[in-house]
Amino acid sequence: MTGLPIAIVGASAAGLAAAEALRRSGWTGPLTLIGDEPHLPYDRPPLSKQLLHGQWEPERLLLRTEEQLAPLALDLRLGTRATGLDAATRTVTLDGGMGVPPLERGRERERLACAGVIVATGVAARTLPGADRTAGVHTLRTLDDALALRARLTGTGHRLVIVGNGVLGCEAAAVARELGHDVTLVGVDPIPMAAAVGPEVGELLAEEHRARGVRLLTGVVDSFEADAEGVVTGVRLADGGTPGNGGVVAGGGGGTLLPADTVLLAIGSTPAVGWLADPALDTSDGLRCDAYCAAAPGIYAAGDVARWDHPVHGRPLRFEHRMNASEQGMAAARNLLAELATEGVAGAAPQERRPFAPVPYFWSDQYTVKVQAYGPTAGADRVETTVLDRDRRRTVALFGRAGQAVGVLATGLPPRQVRALRAVIATPVAWEEARERIAAATATG
């Protein structure tokens, strides 16, 4: 192959989907896939579920094997960090690198001129001061993170404190309890996952966690306690934290002390845009893109890092969910090729650019409860929840914004009913109409 490559920065679900879509859509030029982890592209949702539980091993998370990647004819740069992007010249700066296999030399500080670039770098886990100096304090974003936490939780009876009661924290709490560990879940919000699922569904999930033996506390972490070897022994909350059962109220300075031999920080994430210093790119809350996923001429973005103009909802959105990563990777690839074709770039087949207008979807598995949602549920100004069967954790919730229904969420419902709910909010609809359609969809089954 000759000519400049298309470079995809980020070798997870969005990046892989983009690479495959480029080839399917007719790109015959060089194609470079760059990932900062040493692993082949893998699926992230099982990290906090099946992998952490020990039900799956890392090989099962692979999205493609080496043999399955071979037809894509990739220049695969794993263990390689992108450190800069010049938007005007479409040049990516790389730091270090390894092939699959062997380790390749001579790629330190390489500048890679490209025909086009797709940014799919995802997000990075947030952390807290002192965490990097305290053994036994973990984050959970990468495969290596999950394996390290799983190794730490070998056996039973560990005292695990999870800081952050969003989706990740709740999923990890469920797995840890099923493994027989003592679990305390601490969050700033008194209701777990309330920002994503609403207060009533969040309280229902809280009931399930309490019934399974998880201690739920409200508070802010002040510091970590450690022994002489620097291994964590506890989490100290700021003054005003609720001690609850198992917390020790400190005397003479500081707040509640939660004994712990393992700590998981699940306090959210930040878009991985630190390497994008070009002022031509807007990196406020992700890489800002138009409705076609374009951040600048020849520069596109996909997945957790992309904040794009959703043409249906009429505002910029960013979704950190698996389904969106794959769908947006494909959309960005097709739209980039369409642009390159108009520029006369060899290897780019002519096609039409199309706005990316998905119906957002996310799911979460906690114990036997499956949560599924369509549409942007976060940031709703109105939430109406119907509890269909409290004992079986069966609920449906409608989310509204500016007088229209924009999202719907269900727990414990059969697949047929969940699919019917998607159709209700595929586009924003009047609130009363959505209420009637949801009532009809959940009336039986």
Side-chain angles (χ1 to χ4, degrees):
M1 298 180 190
T2 59
L4 295 177
I6 290 177
I8 303 169
V9 185
S12 194
L16 177 62
E20 293 180 331
L22 286 168
R23 290 302 190 209
R24 283 196 308 270
S25 300
W27 174 249
T28 58
L31 182 55
T32 301
L33 181 60
I34 302 158
D36 61 356
E37 296 183 60
H39 310 291
L40 290 172
Y42 63 87
D43 212 10
R44 293 190 190 276
L47 295 178
S48 60
K49 306 176 184 73
Q50 295 93 337
L51 187 94
L52 184 60
H53 204 295
Q55 298 167 334
W56 290 8
E57 292 305 315
E59 294 74 21
R60 191 166 177 181
L61 273 64
L62 288 181
L63 293 170
R64 301 291 184 271
T65 64
E66 289 185 42
E67 292 74 20
Q68 291 169 329
L69 289 174
L72 297 177
L74 296 173
D75 174 15
L76 187 58
R77 312 283 190 96
L78 298 180
T80 302
R81 290 188 309 113
T83 58
L85 171 60
D86 185 313
T89 63
R90 304 178 193 178
T91 300
V92 180
T93 303
L94 304 177
D95 186 5
M98 58 180 289
V100 181
L103 182 69
E104 297 183 0
R105 304 297 183 185
R107 284 184 166 174
E108 294 79 7
R109 305 298 299 171
E110 178 181 1
R111 287 175 58 81
L112 183 66
C114 303
V117 178
I118 297 176
V119 176
T121 44
V123 295
R126 294 182 186 273
T127 187
L128 291 174
D132 58 342
R133 302 189 301 272
T134 310
V137 178
H138 297 257
T139 55
L140 182 49
R141 172 62 187 171
T142 68
L143 175 58
D144 291 342
D145 291 341
L147 291 174
L149 180 59
R150 187 171 82 171
R152 183 81 182 179
L153 295 176
T154 300
T156 59
H158 288 275
R159 296 176 301 177
L160 172 65
V161 172
I162 300 174
V163 182
N165 60 2
V167 176
L168 177 61
C170 288
E171 289 180 348
V175 169
R177 279 301 299 146
E178 290 175 341
L179 293 173
H181 301 305
D182 181 87
V183 180
T184 300
L185 184 61
V186 182
V188 175
D189 195 311
I191 302 176
M193 289 178 58
V197 303
E200 292 182 78
V201 174
E203 185 52 50
L204 196 77
L205 294 173
E207 289 180 13
E208 185 69 16
H209 280 285
R210 292 190 190 98
R212 302 278 185 160
V214 177
R215 284 188 297 275
L216 303 180
L217 305 180
T218 303
V220 176
V221 171
D222 178 72
S223 60
F224 303 107
E225 300 286 320
D227 61 19
E229 284 72 42
V231 179
V232 69
T233 59
V235 175
R236 188 173 297 281
L237 303 183
D239 287 328
T242 310
N245 183 25
V248 178
V249 179
T256 303
L257 176 63
L258 305 175
D261 49 54
T262 306
V263 176
L264 171 62
L265 301 181
I267 53 176
S269 56
T270 56
V273 294
W275 63 287
L276 298 172
D278 190 324
L281 301 173
D282 180 353
T283 57
S284 54
D285 188 28
L287 181 54
R288 184 74 162 82
C289 301
D290 63 16
Y292 301 94
C293 307
I299 310 294
Y300 286 68
D304 297 358
V305 73
R307 184 167 68 96
W308 88 106
D309 292 331
H310 196 295
V312 173
H313 292 282
R315 58 192 176 100
L317 298 176
R318 188 173 67 82
F319 292 109
E320 295 183 24
H321 301 302
R322 172 67 173 81
M323 190 72 72
N324 184 74
S326 293
E327 292 179 347
Q328 195 165 26
M330 292 186 285
R334 290 190 296 264
N335 287 336
L336 171 59
L337 279 187
E339 179 181 333
L340 295 184
T342 65
E343 296 176 355
V345 175
Q351 53 196 293
E352 181 184 357
R353 287 210 316 165
R354 296 179 180 176
F356 181 56
V359 178
Y361 170 76
F362 85 87
W363 78 95
S364 176
D365 295 314
Q366 298 171 40
Y367 310 109
T368 60
V369 181
K370 190 174 193 70
V371 181
Q372 299 181 81
Y374 292 102
T377 59
D381 55 30
R382 184 177 183 181
V383 182
E384 182 177 292
T385 302
T386 302
V387 178
L388 303 170
D389 187 329
R390 196 167 200 90
D391 292 338
R392 296 168 61 189
R393 310 302 189 202
R394 298 182 65 218
T395 67
V396 62
L398 186 62
F399 296 78
R401 186 182 177 93
Q404 292 187 307
V406 296
V408 63
L409 178 145
T411 64
L413 294 190
R416 176 179 57 81
Q417 289 185 329
V418 174
R419 288 193 297 270
L421 295 178
R422 180 189 185 280
V424 175
I425 52 83
T427 58
V429 63
W431 182 265
E432 290 303 321
E433 179 184 344
R435 291 180 75 246
E436 292 173 3
R437 294 175 63 184
I438 285 177
T442 58
T444 60

